[in-house]
Amino acid sequence: MYAIDQIKEYLKPNGWMTLTNLKKEIGLIAEHINIDEIIESAGVAVRGKIALKEYLVVLTSERLITTDKQKKLIAYNYEEITKQIAIKKFNTVEIQFQFNKEVIELSIAQNDTGKVFTQAIQDKLGILPEIQMDSEERKVVQVMKPIKTTIDILNGKEQLKDKGSIFKLSQNKQGEVEISVDYHNTPEVFRLIKWERVENVQKSAFDIAGWSLIGSTFGNAGAIAGAMGANIGKDKSVATLYLKRLNGEKVALVIKCDKKVLEKLSMLIVAEGEEVVSQTVMEVQPSAADEIIKFKQLLDEGILTQDEFDAKKKQLLGI
């Protein structure tokens, strides 16, 4: 039922007639959405050369799903889609791509809702924006390709302005990212200072704690390390995003970082001229005693062994 409601929410702007005409298709596609799939958009398109019938098209985190003339399910995995292009016509945009040597064509009317859905498909299939020409200098200017991914936040989600369970990160402008919570909320804009994959849980925990203490509330290092240590796994599948709100407030998010998310993160462009931990004159560097207390917290929570704690204590005391 949740999948049906999501699809209907995306289709609402098209009007009640669309919802009525596509009722069976909505139910069929919703029934075949996998439990780990996330519905990211839905709309209507005409397939082929003759505009006789509109078909429901649903974009998920894994596939583009639609139906055939007999209302049977057709799914196209993004990884197997090639040669994707968008062709602008008078009042439509034709999306073309190749799947298993077959050329698929989706024609989308360019009304208000159609434009939104066209952009969603272009973003999902990785269709580059048109190249623009500067009329004075006659230089080719390439608009950056939008980057979008769904993220699983392990720690720090309480810092976001909206509450929910589905988090999407996107970048449409260099140095900035947008994070939306659930599919209907307005995204919040952050400057992307840097991101890093976690290799050392203890070090990253203190980096995040130090970052958050300068600005937003995040939690102590022991709690952060515990959250990361419980989820990091054998493949080091955790990353940290260091962000700044436009008002200067600092936010750190710990997210799961599987292969697909890592590919997206590697494409992000960070803000220029920013330092992750920039201490001001008024900020006091932590003393050896403070550092020992922090490491004792990690020892008590099982993140460090007794030997590791003793070695770090001797190092800080210069013994």
Side-chain angles (χ1 to χ4, degrees):
M1 288 298 294
Y2 183 59
I4 290 179
D5 292 340
Q6 280 190 292
I7 294 172
K8 287 182 177 179
E9 190 69 27
Y10 280 115
L11 293 177
K12 271 185 181 179
N14 291 275
W16 66 269
M17 186 171 290
T18 296
L19 289 170
T20 302
N21 292 340
L22 297 175
K23 182 178 180 180
K24 185 173 181 179
E25 288 90 335
I26 293 171
L28 175 65
I29 292 178
E31 182 182 347
H32 287 83
I33 298 293
N34 298 326
I35 191 168
D36 57 344
E37 267 185 302
I38 298 171
I39 298 173
E40 299 187 350
S41 189
V44 293
V46 173
R47 291 207 305 274
K49 299 294 184 182
I50 303 177
L52 296 178
K53 176 178 171 54
E54 287 186 330
Y55 292 84
L56 172 63
V57 180
V58 175
L59 303 178
T60 77
S61 54
E62 305 293 334
R63 307 174 288 172
L64 183 154
I65 309 175
T66 183
T67 58
D68 61 14
K69 292 181 180 179
Q70 287 72 42
K71 298 184 179 180
K72 292 183 179 179
L73 196 78
I74 306 175
Y76 306 102
N77 295 327
Y78 298 128
E79 296 175 354
E80 300 176 58
I81 290 176
T82 60
K83 299 180 180 179
Q84 54 270 46
I85 60 171
I87 303 171
K88 283 191 175 181
K89 297 191 175 180
F90 178 66
N91 57 359
T92 63
V93 167
E94 189 173 278
I95 305 291
Q96 293 183 1
F97 60 86
Q98 188 167 305
F99 186 84
N100 292 337
K101 298 183 179 181
E102 178 185 1
V103 176
I104 311 299
E105 298 177 351
L106 302 174
S107 183
I108 306 170
Q110 291 305 283
N111 49 30
D112 290 342
T113 57
K115 289 178 181 178
V116 174
F117 187 53
T118 299
Q119 188 62 55
I121 292 182
Q122 288 182 286
D123 292 347
K124 201 63 190 175
L125 298 189
I127 299 174
L128 292 173
E130 290 187 340
I131 294 177
Q132 302 175 346
M133 185 69 74
D134 187 303
S135 58
E136 294 182 0
E137 301 180 4
R138 308 304 295 173
K139 292 181 180 178
V140 175
V141 180
Q142 176 67 57
V143 180
M144 74 166 287
K145 176 183 175 181
I147 301 164
K148 295 186 177 182
T149 185
T150 300
I151 56 176
D152 186 351
I153 301 177
L154 302 175
N155 206 340
K157 67 181 68 174
E158 70 280 354
Q159 299 173 95
L160 302 179
K161 66 177 184 179
D162 293 316
K163 307 299 181 185
S165 58
I166 300 173
F167 303 92
K168 295 181 183 179
L169 180 143
S170 63
Q171 184 173 69
N172 301 289
K173 182 179 178 182
Q174 295 184 7
E176 291 185 358
V177 295
E178 297 178 352
I179 296 180
S180 59
V181 183
D182 289 341
Y183 60 91
H184 51 74
N185 288 334
T186 303
E188 184 176 3
V189 179
F190 298 89
R191 286 181 63 77
L192 175 62
I193 309 307
K194 83 165 187 175
W195 68 272
E196 63 181 10
R197 205 168 187 191
V198 173
E199 297 294 341
N200 183 308
V201 177
Q202 291 85 2
K203 176 183 179 300
S204 294
F206 284 119
D207 285 348
I208 298 168
W211 173 256
S212 63
L213 289 174
I214 298 171
S216 58
T217 302
F218 190 83
N220 63 48
I224 297 167
M228 292 193 295
N231 293 281
I232 191 167
K234 294 181 180 179
D235 61 347
K236 305 279 193 280
S237 56
V238 174
T240 305
L241 302 175
Y242 294 90
L243 310 171
K244 269 188 183 179
R245 287 191 166 92
L246 300 185
N247 64 4
E249 184 182 359
K250 298 178 179 181
V251 173
L253 300 177
V254 179
I255 66 172
K256 282 191 177 180
C257 185
D258 58 19
K259 182 180 178 181
K260 290 183 179 179
V261 173
L262 181 61
E263 289 175 356
K264 295 289 186 180
L265 293 180
S266 66
M267 298 167 63
L268 295 175
I269 301 173
V270 300
E272 296 181 359
E274 296 276 6
E275 292 294 333
V276 175
V277 182
S278 54
Q279 301 289 345
T280 65
V281 175
M282 295 182 64
E283 288 169 341
V284 179
Q285 295 292 337
S287 65
D290 292 333
E291 291 295 290
I292 291 172
I293 291 172
K294 291 178 181 178
F295 281 106
K296 183 61 166 62
Q297 287 180 323
L298 294 180
L299 172 65
D300 293 341
E301 294 174 15
I303 305 300
L304 293 179
T305 65
Q306 184 66 51
D307 289 341
E308 289 171 332
F309 171 74
D310 291 340
K312 195 67 182 177
K313 182 178 178 181
K314 289 180 180 179
Q315 179 185 343
L316 290 169
L317 295 176
I319 300 173

